[in-house]
Amino acid sequence: MTDTHILNTAKSFRYFFMRKLLFLFILSQCFLLSGFYFQRGNQNVEYDNPALYPQVLLTFLGVQYPSENKTATEHVLNDYLKLHQNILVSYEWVPLRAYPCILKKRIRSNSLDDVFMFSLGSRYQIPEGLLVDLANLPTLTAYRQQVLAQMRNGDAVPYVTTSLGAFGLFCNLNMLERNRLKVPQTLDEFLAACETFSRTGLIPLAVTRECLRALLIARAFEPAAFGNADAFFHSLNTDEAFLRRTLLNGFLFLALLRDRGYFDVDGLIQIRENMPGMSFLAGEQPFMIGGSWFSPVLGKAQPAFRGSVFPLPATSQGAVAVLGLDTPLSVSSRGEHVPQAVQLVEGLTSPESIRVFNDGQGCFSPLKDAPLPADKAVHPLWKSMDAGRGIFHSDIRLHHDLWRWLDSGIEVILSGASAEEATESVIQALHDARQEEGKQL
């Protein structure tokens, strides 16, 4: 072998070695920056043959929910990637409170991930053409019509959800039975039951700020649940006097609960959001307003009472579930691998993936032929939703992010001010938001 041959062989080896090091460096940075990457069952794989290198790297931005959600997400992604071994998915988790802000910044800076959980409040500021139309996904044929309606923007479907969350009334059935009370189905029955427990010195209702918002929606949106929903939302969008009356109706309800001492205003600030009240968990309160995702938490705690979750008895015409698209997924039209990203969303919205994702998390399937949830405690709430007695708190027909701006009115109520002042606070917040959006546009 000549010296020149040896030198060329050494150079070739050095080039191959450096190339391999560079590839491993890029993979390690993806792992460090994104938190997780998934390929072949989430196992680190050494690729000695360049033909086996993953050809597509998809970035996925999602909300950091409890560990059960993380486990379910990893399970679904791993199952998908076993069938698509040319794809690597980098998944980034972001805390729920910070998520809308981070998503908005990425939208403005044109640095959206290939696939991301869509924040419904952001739909009012999304530039035209930024989201891929997912209307042709074959998995959409299995969705409930009322869920499909919430995902449509004209003929387009800019996001698809893998789960529904539902707010309901958690009941300590033992306490109700001891006081010879039935589960309340109407507003009058609910107020009467709260008064019965209040007379014994108990604070009957455990709540969080988010749960107060849901209770207000259940009360204020009664015409949408039992009347002409299209006309109701049209009036909310076009008639400020109607919007003001609707909000006032809801805040009068919360002010009534506050003034009668049915929930603990002073202790509310100490209750962690997204966690059930400790007094309810200890069996010291008969009722708790909460999301269906609270139910697995209660089940693991094994409370010393029988409990179930029912629709919210906030209207004179019956109880309703307050619903939300919990995990809507979108695809950026500006990504480098749009077909593969759409294919990934198709995999995540398959019936099997949706079943795996929702089992054990207290979330409801958006599919029309889905079986009853495995958690029997949420069956009454599920049946209410299944029968069509549900209200979406961020209904697609709303032209403003009312759900978000209710917070300002909730704070006014907790401060002891009137329902009228709380209403005006929300109206002002909506005006300010519209002006800010106008400046950005």
Side-chain angles (χ1 to χ4, degrees):
M1 182 180 294
T2 66
D3 292 342
T4 301
H5 193 153
I6 294 173
L7 180 61
N8 289 337
T9 301
K11 286 181 178 179
S12 298
F13 176 79
R14 185 163 59 250
Y15 172 76
F16 175 78
F17 180 72
M18 293 302 294
R19 183 181 176 187
K20 187 171 182 180
L21 278 181
L22 178 60
F23 176 75
L24 291 175
F25 174 76
I26 292 173
L27 279 184
S28 67
Q29 293 308 299
C30 291
F31 177 81
L32 292 173
L33 291 175
S34 303
F36 295 94
Y37 64 88
F38 295 86
Q39 175 66 27
R40 291 192 178 181
N42 199 24
Q43 296 176 356
N44 296 333
V45 180
E46 182 177 352
Y47 297 92
D48 293 322
N49 185 345
L52 297 178
Y53 291 168
Q55 300 169 16
V56 176
L57 173 63
L58 297 177
T59 60
F60 192 153
L61 179 68
V63 176
Q64 182 179 351
Y65 285 118
S67 58
E68 292 83 3
N69 178 279
K70 173 184 169 184
T71 300
T73 301
E74 291 181 1
H75 186 160
V76 171
L77 284 173
N78 282 329
D79 284 348
Y80 174 79
L81 292 172
K82 287 176 183 177
L83 302 176
H84 302 85
Q85 299 201 7
N86 66 319
I87 295 177
L88 188 71
V89 175
S90 171
Y91 194 109
E92 180 180 359
W93 310 88
V94 175
L96 178 60
R97 286 185 174 277
Y99 192 84
C101 181
I102 290 175
L103 180 60
K104 186 180 295 185
K105 287 181 179 178
R106 295 193 181 184
I107 291 172
R108 291 177 180 175
S109 62
N110 195 26
S111 57
L112 268 176
D113 297 81
D114 295 301
V115 178
F116 57 96
M117 286 188 188
F118 188 76
S119 174
L120 292 181
S122 300
R123 69 175 184 248
Y124 306 101
Q125 297 92 30
I126 289 289
E128 190 72 24
L130 183 62
L131 305 181
V132 173
D133 181 8
L134 302 172
N136 292 325
L137 281 182
T139 50
L140 292 185
T141 59
Y143 275 66
R144 295 171 178 270
Q145 287 303 312
Q146 63 266 43
V147 177
L148 276 173
Q150 291 298 317
M151 302 188 305
R152 289 194 181 280
N153 182 10
D155 293 329
V157 176
Y159 47 82
V160 291
T161 192
T162 59
S163 65
L164 298 175
F167 288 93
L169 181 71
F170 286 68
C171 293
N172 181 322
L173 299 178
N174 296 73
M175 292 187 76
L176 290 176
E177 289 176 1
R178 285 196 299 269
N179 287 271
R180 298 180 180 179
L181 294 171
K182 295 181 180 180
V183 174
Q185 299 294 321
T186 65
L187 176 61
D188 288 342
E189 292 175 0
F190 178 56
L191 292 176
C194 285
E195 183 60 24
T196 296
F197 288 108
S198 182
R199 287 175 180 171
T200 67
L202 292 177
I203 297 176
L205 190 59
V207 294
T208 66
R209 283 171 171 78
E210 184 181 40
C211 297
L212 287 177
R213 279 193 283 166
L215 199 56
L216 182 148
I217 289 291
R219 179 73 186 118
F221 283 21
E222 179 176 1
F226 299 98
N228 188 327
D230 287 338
F232 174 78
F233 287 112
H234 175 76
S235 296
L236 280 186
N237 292 324
T238 60
D239 186 346
E240 187 167 302
F242 182 84
L243 172 62
R244 185 175 273 103
R245 290 195 300 272
T246 299
L247 290 173
L248 180 60
N249 190 33
F251 281 119
L252 284 170
F253 178 42
L254 297 190
L256 175 66
L257 298 177
R258 176 201 65 192
D259 294 342
R260 292 187 178 181
Y262 291 166
F263 65 88
D264 182 9
V265 175
D266 295 332
L268 185 58
I269 195 172
Q270 301 175 12
I271 297 177
R272 290 178 56 191
E273 294 290 342
N274 301 320
M275 288 295 292
M278 296 306 296
S279 295
F280 178 81
L281 185 60
E284 299 169 357
Q285 287 180 289
F287 303 123
M288 180 181 75
I289 308 297
S292 53
W293 52 92
F294 286 177
S295 187
V297 179
L298 289 173
K300 288 183 179 180
Q302 298 182 332
F305 61 86
R306 292 183 299 109
S308 286
V309 194
F310 298 84
L312 295 170
T315 80
S316 60
Q317 302 181 68
V320 296
V322 174
L323 306 171
L325 305 183
D326 260 22
T327 50
L329 301 178
S330 289
V331 173
S332 170
S333 63
R334 300 172 184 173
E336 296 183 9
H337 306 288
V338 171
Q340 292 87 349
V342 172
Q343 183 187 62
L344 173 59
V345 172
E346 180 182 341
L348 296 177
T349 55
S350 70
E352 176 61 20
S353 293
I354 285 177
R355 183 192 64 78
V356 171
F357 185 79
N358 286 283
D359 273 359
Q361 294 195 71
C363 294
F364 294 163
S365 170
L367 306 184
K368 55 190 173 186
D369 295 324
L372 280 167
D375 182 3
K376 293 182 180 180
V378 301
H379 283 187
L381 184 60
W382 162 268
K383 290 176 181 177
S384 177
M385 185 273 294
D386 194 41
R389 294 191 303 275
I391 306 170
F392 286 88
H393 59 67
S394 297
D395 195 284
I396 191 68
R397 288 165 285 192
L398 282 168
H399 292 172
H400 37 69
D401 190 6
L402 185 61
W403 174 248
R404 175 185 176 188
W405 298 115
L406 287 178
D407 274 346
S408 61
I410 296 294
E411 294 303 322
V412 172
I413 288 294
L414 295 179
S415 73
S418 68
E420 289 78 7
E421 290 172 291
T423 299
E424 292 307 315
S425 176
V426 175
I427 295 293
Q428 186 60 52
L430 287 171
H431 285 170
D432 293 343
R434 287 168 180 166
Q435 290 179 0
E436 182 64 24
E437 290 168 16
K439 292 177 182 177
Q440 293 173 8
L441 297 176

